[in-house]
Every structure is written in C-alpha cells, then in structure tokens.
Amino acid sequence: MTVHISWRNDAACRDADPRLRVTPNLFSIPFGLAGLAGAWSAAQTLGTPAAVPDAINILAAAVWVVLAVGYAARGPRSILADLRDPVLAPFVPVAAIVGMLLGSALSAYSFGAGRVLVVVFLVITILIGAWLTSQWIVGDLDQDKLHPGYFLPTVAGGLVCALCAAQVHLRGVGEASFGIGILCWLLLGSILLNRLFLRPTLPPALLPTLAIELAPPAVAGLAYFALGGRAGSPVAYILGGYAVLMALVQFRFLPDYARLSFTPGAWAFAFSYAAAVSYGLEWIDQEKPPGATVYASVAIAAITLLIGAIAVRTVISLVRGELLPGPHLRRTDRDVPGDNGQWR
C-alpha cells in the first residue's frame, strides 16, 4: 500500500535520481498481481488454462522490474532510511517476497532458474526480516505507528518462503520457513491486536492495511498444503477456521473502506484477498463439495474484478501524476500522522 507523506526540498538529501521516486510500499502492486496469478493457478476445479496465470505473472514481473530499477536508483542511503522508517520499513522486503513468487512461477518452465531465484530472494527476505526484527528490538518504536503491515517481513515473508520452497522441492527449507512465519505471527499478532484494540484508530492512509490481518491464516494454509498437509486435518481446520473469522471481520470494515479516497494503498487489499481466495479454492479442489464449480467461478470472478478495478484506478492515478511524490523532495524526520489521517 502507499502512505501519503509530506516532502520538502533538500538538495543535500536528494535521492540518487530525483526523477525516480519509487517507495517500497509500491511493491504491493506486483505483490497483488502475483497473488491474483496464484488464485487463477489454484482454480483447478475450473480447468483454467495455464496461459491465464502466466500472463498475469508476466505483467507482475514487468511492474516489479520497473519498480526495482526505480527503487535501486534512489541509492543505498535512501533505502537505509526506509529501513529505519517506522511506517515504510515493513514494506521493504515485499520486493524480495514478490521475487520469490515470480521465481516459483518460473520453475514450472525452467526449474533450475526458478529454483535459483527462489533461493536468492528467500535469503534476502530472511536477512531483511532479521535486520528489521533486531531494529525494532533495539529501536524506540512508537506503538501508535504500528500497523498490520508489520506482518510482512517475517510472517508473510516466512510463510511465502515456505510456500515457494515447497514448490521448488526444498522441503526442509520450507518447513523451517513455515516455523518462522507461524511463530512470528503468534508473537506479532498479539502486539498488533493490542495496538488495534487499545490505541487510537489507524489514520485513513493506513486503514487499508487492516486487510493484511486476513493474510496470515490464508498464506499459512496455502503453505501447509504445499508442504503436504491435507484438508480435513486438525491443522487445516485450525487455519481454515481462523481464516473464516478474519474474513468475516473484514465485512465490518467495509463502511470504513468505502469512505476512503482512492490511493495506491488500495493494493493492500489485493494480495490478502487473493491469498484468501486461493486458500478457499484449494479447499474446494481437495474436498470437491456439491456446487464446487459455481463456488470457484464466483470466487475467481470476484477477486479478478476487485484487483482489475484497483489496477485500472492505479493507471489513472499514474497518468494524472498522482502515483509518485514530486521531484527533488524527501520525507522529513518530523513527519507524523495527523488526527485527520493525513501526513504533514
């Protein structure tokens, strides 16, 4: 998702190339597209041709490359600043997480190349997750700046590592990564729910991150299936039950979401909801309930329409020049969320 923040002129602290102002939260765009490709791949009940998820993955890869080049062009100083930012830091490893998903998709056509990409980006994901964890331990975190995006580095990172490692036949690595994701989910989940329950409501710019609360049980379920787990087992029911609860919780947020103006932060919905649909489709494929084709058709149509609408609106924002912050500008250290949810 993209958080709107204020920027100021500061020639001494410009990015390496001020024309390229990619922020790490923009990697939610290829993340969501890769999630949609995964949902289409999971729609086996419908007999979906491989060309559909392949095309979506190609689009995700193209967007990822453009963003990666733009982000790298900002230089190491700017990237290190993002890693210390209490709002943006959790989004930094999303670039590597997307790389794993794309490598996993590539492995269906070039197993060796895909496996190498998965391993490389898996290592990067774990290293960044470890660095951020240590930074949050020794740093002076403000609880009110926490948001569900804090699940991304180690929870989503670990669980996606497990899923992708299993798909390139690295079962041991996948099981270790699954352990990282589950344990970090249990630890961070209590902290984040405490913040959401007992502290002020998230500002509107961060409100879409509430959708990320749905992602951990869904991605954990997908990873569990990829590692050989079956629907109907106790673990599958535990993860499935919590995924249903978090899906129902999202309905309560709909009026709040509806009041938001569109920003690229809407991409926070994409991967989380796509993962939930993929998880549901995996259950349908294994259990084959009556009406399975109808359920699968409705689910895949709904997630495709949602992400398609977000993509169209994002292109409109890009054309209007609203997607990226202005040139020769940087975030000030004093930027904090205001009471109205805007960043000043």
Side-chain angles (χ1 to χ4, degrees):
M1 64 156 294
T2 294
V3 177
H4 288 285
I5 47 182
S6 64
W7 303 72
R8 66 180 174 83
N9 290 314
D10 190 343
C13 299
R14 293 175 186 170
D15 292 334
D17 186 343
R19 295 170 298 174
L20 300 171
R21 299 169 301 278
V22 175
T23 49
N25 35 16
L26 288 174
F27 284 97
S28 295
I29 298 174
F31 197 27
L33 292 172
L36 178 60
W40 275 97
S41 294
Q44 297 178 21
T45 303
L46 302 178
T48 306
V52 176
D54 287 350
I56 300 172
N57 273 319
I58 291 171
L59 175 60
V63 175
W64 182 86
V65 168
V66 171
L67 291 175
V69 170
Y71 190 55
R74 290 177 50 189
R77 183 178 179 181
S78 180
I79 295 172
L80 286 174
D82 287 341
L83 283 168
R84 295 187 178 94
D85 187 284
V87 175
L88 288 177
F91 298 99
V92 174
V94 173
I97 295 172
V98 175
M100 277 191 294
L101 290 168
L102 295 175
S104 177
L106 177 62
S107 69
Y109 297 95
S110 178
F111 184 80
R115 193 183 205 194
V116 167
L117 287 178
V118 168
V119 171
V120 168
F121 287 115
L122 185 152
V123 171
I124 293 172
T125 299
I126 297 299
L127 289 176
I128 296 176
W131 192 92
L132 288 174
T133 299
S134 64
Q135 177 71 13
W136 295 337
I137 290 173
V138 301
D140 187 16
L141 278 180
D142 180 352
Q143 188 178 22
D144 289 349
K145 290 185 179 179
L146 302 183
H147 54 80
Y150 274 66
F151 278 138
L152 293 170
T154 53
V155 181
L159 295 174
V160 172
C161 283
L163 174 64
C164 294
Q167 291 174 340
V168 295
H169 305 166
L170 296 173
R171 184 179 178 85
V173 174
E175 291 174 345
S177 299
F178 187 77
I180 292 173
I182 292 294
L183 292 175
C184 289
W185 176 24
L186 295 175
L187 295 171
L188 286 173
S190 60
I191 296 171
L192 290 173
L193 286 178
N194 180 71
R195 184 264 179 266
L196 295 174
F197 284 176
L198 302 177
R199 300 302 301 162
T201 304
L202 290 171
L206 289 172
L207 201 60
T209 62
L210 290 175
I212 299 174
E213 288 287 336
L214 176 58
V219 183
L222 289 170
Y224 176 69
F225 287 154
L227 288 167
R230 303 301 300 171
S233 69
V235 173
Y237 277 124
I238 290 170
L239 295 173
Y242 191 69
V244 170
L245 175 64
M246 287 295 101
L248 293 174
V249 166
Q250 292 294 313
F251 283 98
R252 166 58 185 84
F253 301 148
L254 291 179
D256 301 290
Y257 293 155
R259 287 193 292 269
L260 296 173
S261 299
F262 179 84
T263 72
W267 283 96
F269 300 111
F271 182 81
S272 298
Y273 289 178
V277 168
S278 297
Y279 188 35
L281 290 170
E282 288 285 356
W283 269 91
I284 289 171
D285 182 61
Q286 291 196 31
E287 294 292 287
K288 296 180 173 54
T293 301
V294 174
Y295 300 147
S297 298
V298 171
I300 199 66
I303 193 61
T304 302
L305 287 173
L306 173 64
I307 296 179
I310 295 172
V312 169
R313 190 62 182 83
T314 301
V315 171
I316 294 173
S317 295
L318 179 62
V319 171
R320 292 177 177 175
E322 300 169 351
L323 191 65
L324 302 175
H328 304 287
L329 304 174
R330 73 180 290 274
R331 184 176 58 256
T332 71
D333 293 334
R334 297 185 299 275
D335 290 338
V336 294
D339 293 337
N340 62 355
Q342 300 301 313
W343 288 77
R344 62 176 184 266

